[in-house]
Amino acid sequence: MFLSFHPEIGSTGNSLASPANTFLFKPANLVAIVTLSRGRCGLSKCVTCYLLAMAVADLLVVIFNIIPKVIYFYYKPPVCNIINTMSYVSVASSVWLTVAFTLDRTVAICFQRLKIRYCTEKGAAIVIAVVSLLSLFTNVPWYFTYRSYICWVSLDFIFSRVWKAFDWGHRVLTPVVPFLLILLLNVVTIRHILMTSVARRRLRCQRNREEKDDQEMKNRRRSIILLFTLSASFILLWITHVVILAVESISMQYFVMTPSYVVGQLVGIMLQSFSSCTNMFIYAITQRKFRQEVKNVVRYPFRPILNFCRS
């Protein structure tokens, strides 16, 4: 009864982080990091920076938010304080980097003048650094939620108004605000694409000498598909968790333990955890060159053996 039901705190979600799931998550993110760092996926340097940062953040989520839950009760302060804090930091970084990438693609598609200055490799690096630092500083207070000799949430966190205000603010900033921002940015992007498509069709009808295929739209299609797929994955995998947080915040019931409510919480946590390993598969599905690079990365360690066998 002393624990509020958080995905990152306590032992409530231990059953979700089985060793099998852990071993599935980690290699997928590592392969994505290695593949993207080679810079041969046919993506712009700006997009590659964002995707690489997102892959690193997802890997940190696996390290600090999923793996520790398998052996949670073996930790003692201050180890559990650090792991708990980094769990929140990694989740916040992953979520807000998704927002940053969505904003970057919205600017690139909808605002051509701003695109020249904003959608650059340097601009992406600055945004990633700012998001990472803000994610770190805004989640430092979680370090002080454990104050006993065991990894147990302190009574101050449960009953203090200051901690309740901080907890409520955290729920709003991650993931409610990012969830709404991603929805809004995608609506803006879809509206612009529809309007632009209509205008371009009319223009092409007036120019009979123009080629049948619109090469510019083809070049932008991959980026648009990647954006919408990532956004849809984030929204679908986080929506259960967002709804649960909204119910908690509105009803202010932190100790509801009805079977249906607990099942909803566990499903939300499970889907949230899955969101940390799906991006690599999304890249593989939507990007042909990424699939080829993944094959090259996987084959690379075995090349000396194959060359030796052929010689």
Side-chain angles (χ1 to χ4, degrees):
M1 294 295 292
F2 288 100
L3 288 176
S4 62
F5 205 98
H6 288 280
E8 297 86 1
I9 295 180
S11 59
T12 323
N14 286 351
S15 61
L16 299 174
S18 67
N21 290 337
T22 299
F23 293 139
L24 171 65
F25 294 164
K26 202 167 182 178
N29 289 301
L30 287 173
V31 170
I33 291 171
V34 173
T35 303
L36 291 168
S37 63
R38 290 163 62 90
R40 301 175 183 177
C41 299
L43 301 169
S44 68
K45 292 183 179 180
C46 176
V47 172
T48 301
C49 284
Y50 279 112
L51 298 186
L52 184 59
M54 291 163 63
V56 172
D58 287 340
L59 179 61
L60 292 178
V61 172
V62 175
I63 294 174
F64 290 108
N65 193 35
I66 298 178
I67 293 178
K69 289 180 180 178
V70 180
I71 50 176
Y72 189 85
F73 289 109
Y74 292 96
Y75 294 118
K76 300 294 182 182
V79 176
C80 58
N81 300 62
I82 296 173
I83 292 175
N84 182 53
T85 303
M86 290 305 300
S87 173
Y88 280 102
V89 171
S90 59
V91 171
S93 298
S94 177
V95 170
W96 281 100
L97 284 172
T98 304
V99 175
F101 173 72
T102 306
L103 175 62
D104 178 87
R105 292 300 87 197
T106 300
V107 171
I109 295 170
C110 305
F111 306 98
Q112 295 299 313
R113 293 182 180 179
L114 183 59
K115 171 185 175 181
I116 300 174
R117 292 180 294 175
Y118 182 79
C119 302
T120 62
E121 184 178 9
K122 181 179 179 180
I126 293 174
V127 171
I128 292 169
V130 170
V131 169
S132 301
L133 290 175
L134 288 177
S135 299
L136 175 62
F137 292 143
T138 56
N139 287 283
V140 166
W142 289 112
Y143 180 88
F144 303 100
T145 55
Y146 294 138
R147 294 187 180 180
S148 60
Y149 66 95
I150 59 174
C151 294
W152 205 258
V153 178
S154 66
L155 295 178
D156 290 340
F157 177 79
I158 299 174
F159 298 108
S160 171
R161 292 183 179 180
V162 175
W163 276 115
K164 285 184 178 180
F166 173 76
D167 182 34
W168 187 87
H170 169 77
R171 292 164 183 261
V172 172
L173 289 176
T174 308
V176 176
V177 173
F179 189 86
L180 296 176
L181 285 176
I182 289 175
L183 279 175
L184 176 62
L185 290 171
N186 278 277
V187 168
V188 172
T189 305
I190 292 172
R191 180 176 178 273
H192 176 83
I193 291 173
L194 293 176
M195 294 176 61
T196 304
S197 299
V198 172
R200 291 183 70 84
R201 287 195 193 100
R202 292 176 179 174
L203 183 62
R204 289 177 60 193
C205 290
Q206 296 174 1
R207 298 181 178 179
N208 296 327
R209 292 178 298 177
E210 187 176 357
E211 295 182 2
K212 184 177 180 180
D213 294 330
D214 193 336
Q215 295 298 326
E216 181 178 344
M217 291 300 295
K218 281 188 173 182
N219 293 333
R220 295 169 59 183
R221 191 173 301 160
R222 287 186 304 168
S223 179
I224 293 170
I225 292 173
L226 178 60
L227 169 63
F228 288 163
T229 309
L230 286 174
S231 299
S233 173
F234 177 86
I235 291 170
L236 292 175
L237 293 175
W238 276 85
I239 190 169
T240 303
H241 187 56
V242 170
V243 171
I244 292 294
L245 292 182
V247 171
E248 283 188 354
S249 299
I250 294 172
S251 62
M252 298 303 292
Q253 296 177 2
Y254 287 82
F255 309 106
V256 177
M257 297 299 289
T258 60
S260 59
Y261 191 78
V262 171
V263 170
Q265 288 249 3
L266 294 177
V267 171
I269 297 169
M270 180 184 66
L271 294 176
Q272 175 197 338
S273 300
F274 283 154
S275 69
S276 299
C277 73
T278 55
N279 286 351
M280 186 268 184
F281 301 103
I282 291 174
Y283 306 154
I285 293 172
T286 60
Q287 306 294 312
R288 181 180 58 82
K289 289 188 178 180
F290 183 87
R291 291 196 297 271
Q292 185 59 46
E293 280 302 304
V294 169
K295 294 179 182 178
N296 294 335
V297 169
V298 173
R299 292 172 183 170
Y300 184 79
F302 302 100
R303 284 182 181 177
I305 301 175
L306 294 174
N307 293 334
F308 176 78
C309 294
R310 292 173 181 174
S311 61

